[in-house]
Amino acid sequence: MKPILRQTLPLTALIAATAISIAPSARAEVPATCVKGVDLATLGPKSIVGQGPHGEKAASPEVLALSDADAAKIKEKHFKVGISMQTVNLDWAQLQIQGITDTLKKYGVTVTGVASAEYQVDKQIADIENTIQQHPDGIISIPVDFTATAPTYKKIAKAGIKLVLMDSIPTGLKHPEEYASMISADSQGNGQIAAQILASCMPQGGTIGLVNFGVDYFSTNERTKGVREWMQKNRPDIKMKQVDFTDPPKVSQIAGDFLTGNPDIKGLFAVWDQPALDTLSSMRAQGIDIPVTTVDLGLQSAIEIAKGGPLKATGSQRPYDQGVAEAMAMMNALLGKETPGWIGVQSLPVTQSNVLESYKTVFKKEPPPELTDACNKAKPACN
């Protein structure tokens, strides 16, 4: 996923008070192998390692390619597609939408509108109901809540409308009867990337903390699973402790309390980039400097990686490419073709040494000045 909420809260008064009472403690002991001990060329899985929500094996986006004849049929039909998002106020969401709209436009498919539920279940249910009433040929959507919204998603197929999903499948929906395909990143693979870099920064027998999303959500579950399984297989000496959050705006306080109560923690994994940034705020307030890795790439997390500070790496999604795949899956479905239940998009390892190039790969544009400035100040490590 993305990830449910992306809000940055100022530190609470409690954390500020704690920061005053605790003397700066680097908790350093970071091995010289930290990040440098990992060959970027071999970092991360070379194929999709996770399984879909129903245990499906991943299909590649390449299976969605259209022949010239298929493309001509699509253009003749003048199809219409609606989009229902959790929110549009994220880089991730905007890149997904851009990938979808750019691709559909090439084939003459009209996007009737983009609804933003602002994480509200009732609003998304209303958004989908309204879209159904507009009689589009297809709907592309990511559910806010895959249980509460499921009855509404079931109405889409009953109305004769094709459905393509992002990141998660509403409870009880059956493939291919009720949805054409679900497209997501290889979240488990992204977790493995975060684990491998974090392990390179950990002393023998060290302890890491997992700042985990405590809600049963497919993509975030897969990320933490990827970290745990990689550590257990490759660095069984590393001990793992976990703290869960369910309300993203409270991550700063929860992570701060977790670090205060567990001074043996020498490294952290946060389940997506905004919780990682909030955790960095807590660490700075307490004078703690330990390596952190995460999943997903936003501008602020890219800047933190470029600086060479505590945030060492991320396993990034490719949201624009995922949007392209969603559009292609929709057009295959509109042609009456059966599409795979789950299509996985390859992980992208991002460290200080490739952050500028990675930004271009993910965002499909040149890095902004604030990122290039941060990187220039950290040369030659950043490039």
Side-chain angles (χ1 to χ4, degrees):
M1 114 171 145
K2 197 105 184 173
I4 315 283
L5 284 178
R6 280 174 169 258
Q7 300 177 20
T8 302
L9 280 188
L11 289 178
T12 64
L14 174 62
I15 291 179
T18 305
I20 292 170
S21 63
I22 296 178
S25 170
R27 296 193 190 185
E29 303 173 33
V30 176
T33 57
C34 184
V35 185
K36 297 176 183 176
V38 179
D39 180 1
L40 192 61
T42 61
L43 176 61
K46 301 308 173 192
S47 59
I48 305 297
V49 297
Q51 294 183 325
H54 299 152
E56 309 95 325
K57 184 178 179 181
S60 166
E62 294 174 358
V63 305
L64 302 171
L66 295 172
S67 67
D68 290 343
D70 288 340
K73 289 179 185 175
I74 291 286
K75 290 177 180 176
E76 289 172 4
K77 296 290 185 179
H78 302 291
F79 290 118
K80 296 180 181 178
V81 172
I83 301 173
S84 170
M85 303 294 291
Q86 294 171 333
T87 180
V88 297
N89 296 317
L90 301 173
D91 289 340
W92 181 88
Q94 291 164 12
L95 286 166
Q96 288 259 5
I97 294 166
Q98 195 65 51
I100 293 169
T101 54
D102 286 353
T103 307
L104 292 179
K105 185 178 179 181
K106 289 180 185 174
Y107 295 89
V109 179
T110 301
V111 174
T112 58
V114 180
S116 178
E118 308 309 334
Y119 301 111
Q120 299 173 34
V121 171
D122 290 346
K123 184 173 186 317
Q124 185 166 51
I125 289 172
D127 288 344
I128 295 170
E129 297 273 11
N130 289 337
T131 305
I132 291 172
Q133 293 304 313
Q134 295 168 12
H135 305 295
D137 300 290
I139 295 176
I140 300 175
S141 182
I142 177 171
V144 170
D145 179 308
F146 52 69
T147 299
T149 58
T152 305
Y153 278 104
K154 283 179 172 287
K155 294 179 182 178
I156 295 174
K158 290 177 181 175
I161 298 169
K162 300 296 183 183
L163 172 63
V164 170
L165 293 159
M166 307 176 191
D167 264 15
S168 191
I169 299 168
T171 304
L173 263 68
K174 296 179 180 176
H175 176 266
E177 297 89 345
E178 294 176 306
Y179 66 96
S181 191
M182 189 275 279
I183 319 294
S184 76
D186 181 15
S187 293
Q188 192 172 340
N190 281 328
Q192 289 188 7
I193 291 167
Q196 191 172 350
I197 290 288
L198 187 57
S200 76
C201 302
M202 294 299 298
Q204 192 72 17
T207 299
I208 64 168
L210 309 178
V211 182
N212 180 61
F213 189 46
V215 172
D216 184 17
Y217 202 95
F218 170 68
S219 60
T220 49
N221 290 347
E222 288 288 292
R223 297 172 184 190
T224 303
K225 178 183 177 183
V227 174
R228 281 193 169 279
E229 291 187 352
W230 192 95
M231 291 291 183
Q232 289 164 352
K233 179 179 179 180
N234 298 283
R235 285 292 302 271
D237 60 292
I238 291 177
K239 303 177 186 66
M240 289 181 273
K241 294 183 176 180
Q242 181 168 317
V243 64
D244 290 348
F245 67 90
T246 56
D247 188 0
K250 295 181 179 177
V251 169
S252 290
Q253 182 170 350
I254 291 169
D257 292 346
F258 181 52
L259 287 167
T260 301
N262 296 277
D264 57 326
I265 288 176
K266 306 298 183 188
L268 282 168
F269 165 75
V271 71
W272 74 87
D273 56 340
Q274 188 58 52
L277 295 171
D278 293 341
T279 298
L280 291 181
S281 296
S282 297
M283 288 166 49
R284 288 170 178 142
Q286 297 189 44
I288 294 172
D289 183 6
I290 57 176
V292 178
T293 61
T294 188
V295 171
D296 291 336
L297 186 70
L299 175 58
Q300 194 56 44
S301 57
I303 290 172
E304 291 292 339
I305 291 171
K307 289 177 179 176
L311 187 57
K312 302 300 184 187
T314 187
S316 179
Q317 298 191 55
R318 303 170 190 252
Y320 184 93
D321 297 334
Q322 289 161 222
V324 172
E326 288 145 15
M328 297 300 294
M330 174 57 72
M331 289 188 287
N332 273 270
L334 292 173
L335 289 172
K337 295 184 175 183
E338 184 170 330
T339 47
W342 178 45
I343 295 170
V345 178
Q346 186 67 38
S347 305
L348 177 66
V350 184
T351 68
Q352 190 183 25
S353 67
N354 73 342
V355 66
L356 293 184
E357 191 62 34
S358 297
Y359 186 92
K360 288 190 282 187
T361 299
V362 172
F363 286 82
K364 309 298 182 188
K365 62 182 181 183
E366 292 297 318
E370 53 265 52
L371 177 55
T372 54
D373 289 349
C375 193
N376 287 335
K377 292 175 182 175
K379 284 188 177 301
C382 184
N383 55 53

